[in-house]
């Protein structure tokens, strides 16, 4: 709710907004707000004008007392390309990715999943001290990585190994970092899963949550100034979005017009804390427009949707050219698999509830994760399958 | 952080940073499993290879506080919190993941027992947790804020307490909660399960700002707190055995404000002081103790005060065994002091 008291200086907004009077949360429109600078828009107006003259606000007057209810518009809708059976719903939204890319996406997801299983077991056996799996979120990693250029800078939180995997980071180096052995490029300084690779433009993971957010914004600003034709992508979970650093990052990105994509992976839990205890309001995506950030909500289990949202002309072009920041929220719910995703926490602290671990983990490992399996189904229906049966790919990853 | 003089106590519980040393590489799966299993007990020690840089030494069963029960460190924390919530209806516990029992199991059962308005999760935001806690205390209620990992916070430390054992933990925590001043209570993660001893079930208090002389001696004073107390205890045994040197071992217990009198009284007697902590040397608390002791006891000193601490680097992962001020480094420093 904005109550603005008129001050000395007046800022006249772009009146083209009046057509978008009903504020659709998922279509903030070309408000021109991000481009205009208040101190450049001093305008004379006659005292007969009864227009709002509040600095920093752009709206009409209203004489009816009405509060905006937090969820009155029933949630930002979730963009998807495939249905749960892997069918493309709307043929015009089919990204028509080249076969090699489709296969590479699948191979990366499968390889990541296999590596996760091995390293998870390694932690339970005491071979490595700590591990975080990526189960269920493989689609978000590879989908977004596929949409970026190889030189785009990546700031992750700790569950983005698939991005590195997609950029062909060798398995040996993943392992070396986890073991902290002589081959580790990080020289054994950090706990497992704290990967980093300068050549692949993946900034080293840092333990405290959300510290990467303001840093990513700074990097984006520098990239803009250098005319490097790069965007920055910044990943974080819905829990980390509660940190003060997240607020700082979003606000800086918008006001300083930085070419950055904020990518929120929402898996419903922060260790044991469900989203109902993490925030109220319509998730993280709904915060974007509040900061002046173009936003979308995407089904994180749908690789094609993730690729389209991250790299489609809208996201990338607008990141590079004008308003800058773009926010993508990826809910990763999957019917019936909430409880699995909730065990997706780090392995050296939080214990697993007794009696629930084994059956869930098994059912997951048997069926692969929904995003993955939906993608399987999609390839299944595609001609690609006839050239390379996916069971071969699955087996290859285990070698 | 501005601490308003709160009408009631408020407490910040922090997991002590560092000392992840229990996650060493193992050569056999069986050993690892035995250690990693949550219910690994001290009895397994004989079959296990030493994996930590210290051995926890339990204190004798306390007689003056009524019936006792064997508890490890996290259980003694739970017991203290249980007592507090029972005694003080305004007391609330909050932080990340406390509702389901906490990532280190310190708040297990408390939400069921006392209700979800008294034991609850907050969003993931340490600055929010601390600010929220200050607000609660301002109204006169008792705030117990849990910060999951000390590494994630940079508070202004006004009163800092750190226990070496379950018995100490419960008594000190209760004192912190009841103290009208804000307190920061550190819980060494490595002791959560590794430290187990007899702890009274009923509430009891251990006074703040009072150090404890665990072992009397005449030649050298050794000062430490938290996990490091067990290291210097062993160093004292080594010194006795190998050098015939008698060490006085002091557990500081409260870091700020610290018990200057007890430490100085000891140094006046022995003439030598060695202070040890895991935190980096520069700006570490040993420098503060050293400075004050040389002011108060300058003419009593037989040798320069020795500090055995971590290096001035971030706490490393794979090189932790080299970083940690273990018993060998402490013994070496002690020897040099004796031969000064």
């Amino acid at each position: 709710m904005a109550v603005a008291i008129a001050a000395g200086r007046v800022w006249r907004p772009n009146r083209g907004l009046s057509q978008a009077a009903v504020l659709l949360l998922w279509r903030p429109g070309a408000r021109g707000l991000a481009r205009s600078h208040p101190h450049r828009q001093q305008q004379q107006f006659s005292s007969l004008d009864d227009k709002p003259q509040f600095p920093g606000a752009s709206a009409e007057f209203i004489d009816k007392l009405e509060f905006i209810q937090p969820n009155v518009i029933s949630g930002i809708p979730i963009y998807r390309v495939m249905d749960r059976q892997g069918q493309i719903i709307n043929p015009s939204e089919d990204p028509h990715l080249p076969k090699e890319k489709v296969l590479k996406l699948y191979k990366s997801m499968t390889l990541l999943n296999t590596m996760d299983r091995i390293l998870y077991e390694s932690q339970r056996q005491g071979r490595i001290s700590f591990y975080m799996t990526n189960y269920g979120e493989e689609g978000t990693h590879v989908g977004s990585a596929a949409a970026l250029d190889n030189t785009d800078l990546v700031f992750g939180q700790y569950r983005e190994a698939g991005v590195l995997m997609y950029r062909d980071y060798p398995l040996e180096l993943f392992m070396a970092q986890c073991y902290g052995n002589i081959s580790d490029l990080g020289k054994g300084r950090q706990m497992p899963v704290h990967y980093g690779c300068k050549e692949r433009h993946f900034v080293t993971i840092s333990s405290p949550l959300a510290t990467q957010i303001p840093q990513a914004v700074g990097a984006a600003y520098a990239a803009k100034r250098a005319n490097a034709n790069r965007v920055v992508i910044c990943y974080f979970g819905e829990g980390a979005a509660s940190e003060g650093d997240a607020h700082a990052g979003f606000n800086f990105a918008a006001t300083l017009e930085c070419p950055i994509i904020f990518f929120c992976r929402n898996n419903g839990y922060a260790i044991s804390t469900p989203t109902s205890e993490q925030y109220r309001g319509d998730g993280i995506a709904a915060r974007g427009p509040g900061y002046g950030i173009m936003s979308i909500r995407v089904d994180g289990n749908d690789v094609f949707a993730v690729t389209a949202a991250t790299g489609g002309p809208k996201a990338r072009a607008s990141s590079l050219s004008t308003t800058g920041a773009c926010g993508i929220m990826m809910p990763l719910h999957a019917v019936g698999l909430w409880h699995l995703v909730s065990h997706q926490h780090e392995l050296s602290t939080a214990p697993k509830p007794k009696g629930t671990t084994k059956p869930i983990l098994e059912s997951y490992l048997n069926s692969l994760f929904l995003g993955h399996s939906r993608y399987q189904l999609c390839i299944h229906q595609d001609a690609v399958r006839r050239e390379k049966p996916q069971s071969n790919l699955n087996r290859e990853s285990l070698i | 952080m501005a601490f308003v003089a709160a009408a009631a106590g408020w407490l910040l519980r922090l997991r002590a940073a560092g000392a992840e040393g229990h996650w060493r590489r193992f050569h056999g799966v069986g050993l690892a499993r035995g250690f990693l299993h949550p219910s690994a007990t001290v009895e397994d020690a004989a079959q296990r290879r030493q994996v930590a840089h210290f051995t926890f030494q339990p204190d004798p069963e306390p007689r003056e506080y009524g019936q006792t029960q064997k508890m490890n460190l996290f259980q003694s924390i739970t017991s203290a919190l249980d007592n507090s919530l029972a005694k003080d209806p305004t007391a609330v516990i909050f932080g990340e993941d406390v509702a389901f029992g906490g990532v280190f199991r310190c708040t297990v059962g408390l939400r069921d027992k006392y209700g979800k308005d008294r034991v609850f999760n907050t969003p993931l935001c340490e600055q929010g947790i601390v600010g929220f806690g200050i607000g609660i205390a301002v109204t006169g209620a008792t705030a117990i804020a849990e910060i999951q990992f000390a590494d994630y916070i940079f508070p202004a430390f006004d009163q800092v307490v750190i226990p070496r054992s379950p018995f100490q933990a419960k008594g000190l925590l209760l004192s912190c909660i009841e103290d009208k001043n804000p307190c920061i209570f550190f819980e060494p993660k490595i002791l959560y399960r590794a430290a187990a001893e007899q702890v009274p079930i009923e509430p009891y208090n251990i006074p703040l700002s009072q150090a404890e002389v665990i072992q009397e001696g005449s030649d050298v004073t050794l000062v430490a707190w938290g996990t490091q107390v067990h290291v210097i205890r062993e160093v004292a045994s080594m010194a006795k055995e190998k050098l015939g040197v008698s060490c006085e071992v002091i557990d500081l217990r409260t870091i700020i404000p610290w018990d200057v009198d007890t430490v100085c009284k000891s140094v006046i007697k022995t003439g030598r002081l060695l202070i040890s902590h895991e935190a980096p040397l520069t700006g570490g608390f040993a420098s503060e103790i050293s400075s004050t002791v040389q002011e108060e006891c300058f003419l009593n000193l037989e040798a320069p005060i020795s500090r055995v601490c971590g290096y001035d680097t971030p706490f490393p992962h794979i090189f932790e065994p080299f970083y940690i001020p273990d018993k060998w480094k402490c013994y070496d420093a002690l020897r040099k002091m004796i031969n000064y």
Side-chain angles (χ1 to χ4, degrees):
Chain A
M1 170 179 31
V3 177
I5 308 301
R9 290 275 179 238
V10 170
W11 172 54
R12 181 64 72 105
N14 182 344
R15 301 301 296 166
L17 169 68
S18 59
Q19 296 311 308
V22 176
L23 181 62
L24 300 175
L25 289 174
W26 56 91
R27 237 191 307 279
R31 294 173 69 118
L33 289 173
R35 294 195 221 209
S36 58
H37 296 268
H39 61 273
R40 291 204 208 122
Q41 294 209 339
Q42 308 305 321
Q43 277 183 289
Q44 294 300 324
F45 52 91
S46 89
S47 56
L48 295 174
D49 272 355
D50 190 18
K51 308 281 191 287
Q53 298 154 20
F54 301 109
S58 156
E60 301 284 348
F61 276 123
I62 187 173
D63 54 25
K64 192 164 164 230
L65 180 61
E66 251 175 23
F67 285 83
I68 302 170
Q69 294 300 331
N71 288 313
V72 63
I73 301 164
S74 57
I76 299 176
I78 303 163
Y79 174 68
R80 65 173 181 174
V81 171
M82 295 184 272
D83 64 19
R84 290 211 164 94
Q85 283 69 48
Q87 306 264 20
I88 307 271
I89 299 167
N90 180 351
S92 67
E93 294 290 315
D94 185 342
H96 295 295
L97 296 178
K99 253 174 247 169
E100 308 78 47
K101 203 158 207 179
V102 169
L103 267 179
K104 182 167 185 182
L105 288 170
Y106 186 72
K107 277 175 122 163
S108 302
M109 289 200 288
T110 313
L111 189 61
L112 177 60
N113 183 257
T114 308
M115 182 179 85
D116 268 353
R117 287 196 239 182
I118 290 169
L119 287 173
Y120 172 91
E121 289 298 328
S122 298
Q123 196 278 338
R124 300 322 287 158
Q125 292 170 10
R127 295 173 195 273
I128 56 176
S129 59
F130 177 84
Y131 193 67
M132 306 193 92
T133 60
N134 302 274
Y135 299 148
E137 306 196 20
E138 300 93 340
T140 60
H141 305 175
V142 305
S144 51
L148 300 167
D149 288 347
N150 281 337
T151 53
D152 289 334
L153 197 54
V154 175
F155 282 79
Q157 178 169 299
Y158 52 52
R159 191 170 279 128
E160 293 85 14
V163 177
L164 259 185
M165 188 77 84
Y166 188 85
R167 289 185 175 179
D168 300 316
Y169 194 62
L171 284 176
E172 292 80 6
L173 289 183
F174 279 114
M175 303 289 166
Q177 197 285 324
C178 289
Y179 278 87
N181 62 31
I182 197 142
S183 309
D184 175 23
L185 299 178
K187 300 187 179 163
R189 291 191 188 103
Q190 293 210 77
M191 286 164 56
V193 310
H194 290 66
Y195 314 118
C197 182
K198 196 166 177 186
E199 292 71 37
R200 290 170 178 82
H201 309 283
F202 189 97
V203 177
T204 309
I205 301 297
S206 128
S207 296
L209 295 180
T211 50
Q212 75 276 17
I213 302 179
Q215 293 178 14
V217 176
Y221 188 80
K224 179 171 86 164
R225 290 204 66 245
N227 287 314
N229 196 36
R230 288 169 105 184
V231 296
V232 172
I233 187 163
C234 178
Y235 297 88
F236 52 94
E238 88 287 349
S242 292
E243 287 282 3
D245 271 353
H247 161 73
F250 299 156
N251 205 25
F252 277 49
T255 53
L256 299 170
E257 297 173 5
C258 303
I260 181 166
I261 300 170
F262 290 114
F263 194 110
C264 174
R265 300 173 289 94
N266 187 337
N267 64 8
Y269 284 88
I271 304 185
S272 72
T273 307
T275 50
S276 58
E277 292 176 8
Q278 195 63 251
Y279 56 77
R280 295 295 156 86
D282 182 24
I284 316 300
R287 298 181 198 173
Y291 288 101
I293 295 176
M294 183 175 86
S295 308
I296 187 170
R297 175 172 283 152
V298 180
D299 181 348
N301 293 121
D302 181 337
V303 176
F304 291 147
V306 172
T307 306
T310 311
K314 290 175 189 162
R316 215 164 176 282
S318 68
S319 288
L320 284 176
S321 60
T322 57
T323 54
C326 169
I328 305 178
M329 174 158 119
M330 301 274 159
L332 285 155
H333 55 275
V335 171
L337 283 164
W338 270 119
H339 54 294
L340 169 60
V341 177
S342 75
H343 294 318
Q344 186 82 288
H345 46 228
E346 75 252 35
L347 287 177
S348 63
T349 56
K352 299 206 187 286
K354 289 189 168 59
T356 53
T357 308
K358 207 163 185 294
I360 294 170
L361 199 57
E362 269 179 12
S363 72
Y364 154 62
L365 290 171
N366 289 336
S367 69
L368 283 185
F369 208 77
L370 193 70
H372 198 169
S373 60
R374 189 193 312 176
Y375 193 57
Q376 271 182 313
L377 288 164
C378 186
I379 308 179
H380 191 87
Q381 286 144 27
D382 204 82
V384 165
R385 175 199 163 236
R386 283 179 233 125
E387 294 179 28
K388 189 122 193 194
Q390 61 209 31
S391 55
N392 279 359
L393 290 173
N394 289 359
R395 233 175 294 132
E396 269 171 28
S397 79
L398 288 165
I399 293 167
Chain B
M1 170 156 72
F3 279 95
V4 180
W10 96 271
L11 168 74
L12 191 59
R13 286 175 48 236
L14 297 153
R15 315 285 185 225
E20 296 289 344
H22 50 301
W23 299 123
R24 301 272 175 85
R25 272 176 300 184
F26 302 109
H27 292 300
V29 171
L31 295 165
R33 214 181 309 128
F35 182 78
L36 290 170
H37 195 279
S39 58
T41 57
V42 183
E43 290 95 76
D44 294 335
Q47 286 105 36
R48 282 189 280 116
R49 191 176 66 179
Q50 178 86 350
V51 294
H53 66 285
F54 69 96
T55 308
F56 173 71
Q57 303 187 36
D59 285 324
E61 181 177 354
R63 300 270 170 219
E64 61 271 44
Y65 298 112
Q67 191 191 350
T68 67
Q69 186 182 307
K70 183 146 186 203
M71 299 182 205
N72 63 27
L73 190 82
F74 77 73
Q75 289 165 337
S76 69
I77 302 286
T78 314
S79 179
L81 297 174
D82 192 355
N83 293 153
S84 293
L85 263 56
K87 237 179 3 179
D88 178 352
T90 72
V92 290
I93 305 175
F94 51 92
E96 293 154 21
D97 303 293
V98 300
F100 90 126
V103 292
F104 294 103
R105 320 314 289 139
C106 292
T107 52
V108 170
L110 296 179
R111 184 177 167 96
D112 289 340
K113 191 167 174 185
Y114 295 102
K116 57 185 169 61
D117 60 312
R118 297 186 71 190
V119 180
F120 53 92
N121 290 340
T122 62
L124 213 165
C125 183
E126 285 74 20
Q127 63 186 149
I129 292 167
V130 173
F132 181 84
I134 293 174
I136 289 179
V138 163
T139 70
T142 299
I144 305 171
E146 177 174 300
I147 298 295
Q148 205 166 79
F149 289 92
D151 320 65
Y152 302 155
I153 196 160
F154 280 88
F157 290 179
D158 281 352
Q159 191 161 227
V160 179
V161 179
I162 178 163
R164 70 170 184 273
S165 71
F167 171 77
Q168 295 289 318
K170 179 168 171 172
L172 289 169
L173 181 56
L174 282 167
S175 297
C176 284
I177 293 171
E178 285 158 20
D179 196 288
K180 298 304 179 200
N181 297 306
C183 282
I184 298 170
F185 185 81
F186 278 103
E187 299 166 7
K189 287 195 293 299
I190 199 171
L191 295 182
Y192 274 138
R193 295 169 196 278
E197 59 187 1
Q198 296 297 124
V199 180
I201 298 168
E202 294 303 313
Y204 60 97
N205 292 90
I206 292 178
L208 301 182
S209 293
Q210 218 179 83
E212 185 182 351
V213 179
I214 300 175
Q215 183 183 305
E216 288 190 6
S218 54
D219 301 329
V220 190
T221 302
L222 307 178
V223 174
W225 48 90
T227 310
Q228 202 66 7
V229 171
H230 304 289
V231 176
I232 62 170
R233 260 174 151 164
E234 200 169 342
V235 173
S237 308
M238 286 161 70
K240 184 81 194 167
E241 191 191 308
K242 298 179 200 284
L243 303 169
V245 164
S246 157
C247 297
E248 182 143 295
V249 179
I250 299 181
D251 176 5
L252 203 62
R253 301 201 295 197
T254 299
I255 297 177
I256 304 181
W258 62 286
D259 186 352
V260 179
D261 289 343
T262 300
V263 175
C264 286
K265 187 168 147 202
S266 176
V267 174
I268 288 166
K269 181 170 70 166
T270 64
R272 293 177 182 85
L273 175 62
L274 184 149
I275 314 152
S276 186
H277 58 60
E278 286 172 8
L281 180 73
T282 301
F285 202 68
S287 50
E288 191 57 42
I289 296 174
S290 176
S291 202
T292 300
V293 169
Q294 66 87 25
E295 278 172 21
E296 301 292 322
C297 313
F298 185 75
L299 294 173
N300 302 95
L301 289 170
E302 299 289 332
I305 297 172
S306 183
R307 296 177 291 158
V308 186
C309 306
Y311 298 118
D312 290 341
T313 68
F315 208 102
H317 169 233
I318 214 68
F319 290 123
E320 180 182 314
F322 301 97
Y323 173 97
I324 281 271
D326 60 17
K327 61 189 180 191
W328 299 111
K329 287 186 187 173
C330 292
Y331 178 74
D332 190 43
L334 186 150
R335 222 170 26 135
K336 289 191 171 102
M337 243 186 354
I338 295 291
N339 295 330
Y340 185 79

